[in-house]
Amino acid sequence: MTTDEGHLAERARLLADPARTGRERRTALARLTDDWLSGLYRTAGAPAGTALVAVGGYGRGELSPRSDLDVLLLHDGPLAPELAERIWYPVWDSGIALDHAVRTPAEARKVAADDLKAGLGLLDARHLAGDPRLTADLRSQALADWRSAAPARLPELQALGRARAERHGEVSFLLEPDLKEARGGLRDLVALDAIAASWLADAPRDGLDTAARTLADVRDALHLTTGRATDRLALQDQDQVAEQLGLLDADILLRQVYRAARTVAYASDVTWRAVDRVLAARTRRGRRPTRLGLPFHGARRAAPPAERRPLAEGVVEQDGEAVLAQAARPAADPVLPLRAAAAAAQAGLTVSYATVRRLAAETGPLPVPWPDEARDRLVTLLGAGEACLPVWEALDAEGLITRLLPDWERVRCRPQRNAVHRWTVDRHLIETAVRAAALTRRTSRPDLLLVAALLHDLGKGWPGDHSEAGEVIVRDLAVRMGFDKHDTDTLALLVRHHLTLVDTATRRDPDDPATADLIAKTVGSRTHLELLHALTEADATATGPAAWSSWRASLVDQLVARTAARLAGGPPPPAADEPTADQERLAVEAARTGGPALALRAHAEPADGSGAEPVGVELTLAVPDRPGLLGTVAGVLAVHRLTVRKAGLRELDPVGTGPVLLLTWTVAAEFGDVPEAARLRADLRRALEGSLDVSRKLAERDAAAPRRPGIRTPPPVVAVAPGAASRSATVLEVRAHDAPGLLHRIGRALDAAGVRVRTAHVSTLGAEAVDAFYLTSEDGRPLERARAEQVAQAVREALEGR
C-alpha cells in the first residue's frame, strides 16, 4: 500500500469511527491531513526558503469530511515548477478537492490586498512544513496589513455579507438552508473572526462557540450522509442527518440549526453596528487610523462624550441606539424592557447590546396582571411595523420575550413544513404584527389587532387544531396582560376564527345570504368584523405570496361588505356617565370665576376597574365655553410634554348662566413627573387670555429638536361616521399615529372650520390615536353632509402638514 493509499484508508477509518464525532473528529482529520501533506512536501524534495501553509478553513485546524484543502506553497526565491506538481498531483489523484497557489510572501500580500477572499484566508495561515520563519512572517504581515486597511476592507466585507443574504436568505427561516452562505451561517462566523482580527470591534461571545459547533456538526453529518461536499440541507437529507446526529426527527434538527443561526446572526448585527459606530466616529473626527487604530501624531486624546437624547422615561438615544439613562434602575422598574423597546422602535433605532443584557440580568418579572403601561408599551412596540423587528430580535436573543410570554418558547424556531409559509412560527407571528401595523387605520381597536396578530398562531406549539388550542392560550395570556373580560373575549374570538374569513370566502357561495349570515353570527359586531378582516389580511400577507392573491382578497372583501351590511345599524355609542360631585364643583367654580378650574389626581384608577396601575394621572378641567378651547388646552398639555392617553369633553350648565365645558383627561409625562396643578392652571389661564401662544411655542420646540429618521406610519384617516352614529351631532372619526401636539392640531383645524365640539372621546392605544368628535354648527345642529366632508378634509390637511 502506498503512502497515499494508507492516508485514504486511515481517513476512511476516522470518518467511520462512531466514537469520533464533532469538533474532535474535525481536528483529528486536520492533523491527519497535516501529516500527509507534510510527507508529500518532504518527498517532493522542497529546497530551503520554502514553506507549505494551510489557509482559510483548513488553516483554522478543523476539516469537515468533504472540505476543500486550501494550501499555499510559499517561497522566497526561484522555484522549479515541477516541485509544486509533485505535491499537488497525489492530492488530485485522491479525489480530495484542492485549492492551491504558489507565491512569494510579497505576491501573497498583493493578492490579499486585491482579493478580499484571499485576504481573509491569510488571516488563518497555519504552518505545515518547511521554513517556519516564512509562515510566521507572512502571518504577522498579513495581520498588520488587515488592521491597517480595515476601515476600507470591513465595509467591503459587510457588503459581501449583505449580498450573500440577498442571494441565499437566512438560515433561521429556510426549510432547506445553506449552512455556509446564508445569513447566520458559517461564512458569517468567518467574518466575525476577521472583525476581531481588525481590533476595531469584537462579537458578543455568549453562545457563539456552541452555535458554531452546532452548524459545523450538522455540516459534517450532511457530508457523511450525502457523500458530497454540499452545504445545502435539503429536505430529502434531513431525516438521515438527524439520525446521524442522534436526534429524534428532522424538526428537532431544524430547530437546533435555527437557534444556532439566530445566535450567529444576532452577534453579526451587534458587531457590525459597533464597526459602523467606530468608523463613523473616525470620520467625524477626521482621524487617520494607524495599524493600531491610534492617531499618527501626539498622545491619544480622550473622545468627547457621546450626545445623549431622551426617548422615554429611563431611556436615551446614544450613537444611534437606545440605551438606559444614567438614573434608570432596572431592578425597580419591571416595565423598563418594554418601555425601552417601544421607544427604540418608534424612533427607528435598536436597543444596544449592553442595554439588553443589563435588562435581562437586572429586571424582574412583570406583576400579574400587567400594569397598564406594560400593555401599552407592547402595543407601541408592535405598532412600529418594520422597525419592531430588530428590537424584537434583540429582546428574543436575551430571553426577554419568553419571560414576557412563556408560551413563546413552544413556537420559537419551530419550522413550518408547508411550501406556502416563508417563516418559522415565531417569526411568522411577529411578521403578522408588522403587516397589521400598516392596517391599524381600518379598526377602532388597533391595540387588539396588533396583540391578536402577535398571538394568533401560538396554538401551533400544542397538539390538535391550532386555532382551538390558541383560543385557550390567548384567554390565559390576555388575563395575564391585564385585558378586561370584553377585550379578552374579543382576542379569543380573533384567534379562534383567524382562518374563518378566507376559508368561508373561498369555499362557500358568496352570493348566498346564508354565507354572510354565518359570518355575522360568528363575529357579532362591526368592530369584530373590522378586526378579523385586518387580521386575515395581515396573516395571509405575512405567510407568503401564495397565501394572498388579488382573487382571494376580492372574495374576502366581498364577504366582509355583505356581512357589514347585515350588521349595519349597531348600537349607538354609550352615554356619558353622570358628572361626579367633584366635577360639578369644578364646573360651578369655572362658571362663577369665568376662568379655568382644574383638579389633578395623581393616582387615578383605571377605567376598567382592574386595579392595575394606571398609565397616567387624571386631570379634570372646567372652562366656560369659548371658540378654540379644545386646541388651546391640548396645546398647553403638549407644551408641558404631557401625552394624552384618554380624553372626554362634554357640556354642562351648572348654574344656568351659560355652558361650561368639562374636560377629563388621562395624561402621562413624557419624561419625569407631571407638573403641579398650579403651574398648569397658570399656563392655561395665560393661553386662554392670549398671552401664551402655544402654537408658536410648540413650533419653536419642534424646530430646535434634533431630527431623527423615525419610522414610516400609515397616513391618518379622517372620516365622517354614518348618520346613524348620532342623531344630534355629526361624528368625525380620526385615526392617526400619536405624536406631540396631535390633539392641538385637530382642535385648531376644527376651530378654524367654524364648528363646535359638543363632545369628544379621545383614546391613545399604544402609539395609535383613535378619536371621535361630535360636531355641530354654531346653532347646535348636525352638519350638512357636504359641510362635514369639508371639515374632515381640513382636519386631514392639518394632520398631513399641508
Side-chain angles (χ1 to χ4, degrees), residues 23-371:
R23 179 170 290 174
E24 179 189 355
R25 180 174 58 202
R26 290 190 293 275
T27 302
L29 185 57
R31 288 173 180 168
L32 182 65
T33 306
D34 291 351
D35 293 341
W36 178 43
L37 292 179
S38 298
L40 293 176
Y41 172 86
R42 289 190 295 270
T43 302
T50 61
L52 195 63
V53 183
V55 296
Y58 180 30
R60 289 188 288 275
E62 289 191 16
L63 274 180
S64 288
R66 295 286 175 174
S67 289
D68 293 356
L69 301 182
D70 298 322
V71 186
L72 172 64
L73 180 58
L74 202 60
H75 65 98
D76 61 1
L79 194 68
E82 60 271 14
L83 173 65
E85 294 178 356
R86 288 198 290 269
I87 301 172
W88 308 147
Y89 268 107
V91 181
W92 291 330
D93 290 343
S94 72
I96 298 174
L98 177 67
D99 188 354
H100 61 89
V102 181
R103 294 185 181 120
T104 66
E107 290 170 342
R109 292 174 64 190
K110 184 179 185 307
V111 171
D114 296 336
D115 184 338
L116 182 59
K117 182 179 177 183
L120 295 175
L122 282 189
L123 296 180
D124 295 304
R126 183 169 59 85
H127 184 69
L128 295 178
D131 186 348
R133 176 188 55 81
L134 275 179
T135 305
D137 288 349
L138 176 61
R139 179 176 171 81
S140 63
Q141 291 165 353
L143 284 169
D145 292 343
W146 176 252
R147 288 165 187 154
S148 177
R153 303 307 297 272
L154 288 181
E156 183 184 355
L157 179 60
Q158 186 178 25
L160 285 177
R162 288 172 176 163
R164 279 192 292 103
E166 287 291 327
R167 287 195 306 272
H168 299 282
E170 298 191 48
V171 172
S172 301
F173 308 119
L174 295 168
L175 277 177
E176 296 185 314
D178 188 308
L179 301 171
K180 186 175 183 180
E181 302 292 343
R183 181 173 182 265
L186 295 167
R187 286 275 191 213
D188 283 346
L189 287 163
V190 174
L192 290 176
D193 287 342
I195 295 171
S198 74
W199 290 355
L200 291 183
D202 194 10
R205 293 290 163 180
D206 285 353
L208 197 59
D209 185 67
T210 300
R213 187 177 302 180
T214 296
L215 293 174
D217 288 351
V218 174
R219 185 192 190 205
D220 289 358
L222 181 62
H223 285 187
L224 292 173
T225 296
T226 62
R228 294 180 289 109
T230 180
D231 298 310
R232 183 168 173 266
L233 187 58
L235 287 172
Q236 65 267 21
D237 301 321
Q238 289 175 8
D239 286 325
Q240 291 176 281
V241 171
E243 183 180 358
Q244 177 83 23
L245 294 170
L247 302 176
L248 184 63
D249 58 32
D251 276 4
I252 294 176
L253 167 69
L254 280 182
R255 291 192 81 174
Q256 287 191 2
V257 170
Y258 292 163
R259 288 176 188 273
R262 286 196 190 180
T263 300
V264 175
Y266 177 59
S268 297
D269 289 343
V270 170
T271 307
W272 281 118
R273 285 200 301 269
V275 170
D276 290 342
R277 286 196 302 274
V278 171
L279 297 182
R282 289 172 181 271
T283 301
R284 286 195 301 269
R285 291 193 293 267
R287 294 170 58 192
R288 291 197 310 148
T290 66
R291 293 176 183 178
L292 298 180
L294 303 177
F296 275 100
H297 301 292
R300 185 175 187 178
R301 295 172 294 176
E307 186 177 359
R308 295 165 71 87
R309 300 166 181 164
L311 291 174
E313 185 68 25
V315 188
V316 298
E317 175 188 352
Q318 178 178 311
D319 288 334
E321 294 181 320
V323 303
L324 294 185
Q326 294 178 354
R329 298 292 180 266
D333 190 355
V335 182
L336 187 54
L338 282 172
R339 189 185 309 126
Q346 286 292 324
L349 308 172
T350 190
V351 185
S352 79
Y353 172 70
T355 294
V356 179
R357 294 273 293 171
R358 184 180 172 195
L359 290 171
E362 298 182 23
T363 308
L366 284 169
V368 177
W370 288 10

Side-chain angles (χ1 to χ4, degrees), residues 384-466:
E386 291 283 349
C388 168
L389 289 173
V391 177
W392 189 271
E393 289 175 354
L395 268 60
D396 187 45
E398 297 300 332
L400 283 165
I401 297 301
T402 51
R403 186 186 300 179
L404 291 168
L405 307 170
D407 291 277
W408 194 261
E409 185 60 31
R410 281 183 171 267
V411 297
R412 189 173 186 269
C413 297
R414 181 176 289 274
Q416 303 200 77
R417 294 188 175 277
N418 184 321
V420 173
H421 277 278
R422 297 177 57 192
W423 310 107
T424 54
V425 177
D426 60 330
R427 181 57 182 263
H428 168 70
L429 291 173
I430 191 64
E431 286 283 342
T432 303
V434 167
R435 299 300 194 282
L439 306 176
T440 50
R441 303 293 181 270
R442 286 172 30 179
T443 173
S444 61
R445 291 301 303 270
D447 55 333
L448 297 183
L449 171 62
L450 292 167
V451 173
L454 179 69
L455 306 179
H456 75 278
D457 270 351
L458 278 184
K460 288 186 175 179
W462 296 83
D465 185 309
H466 77 278

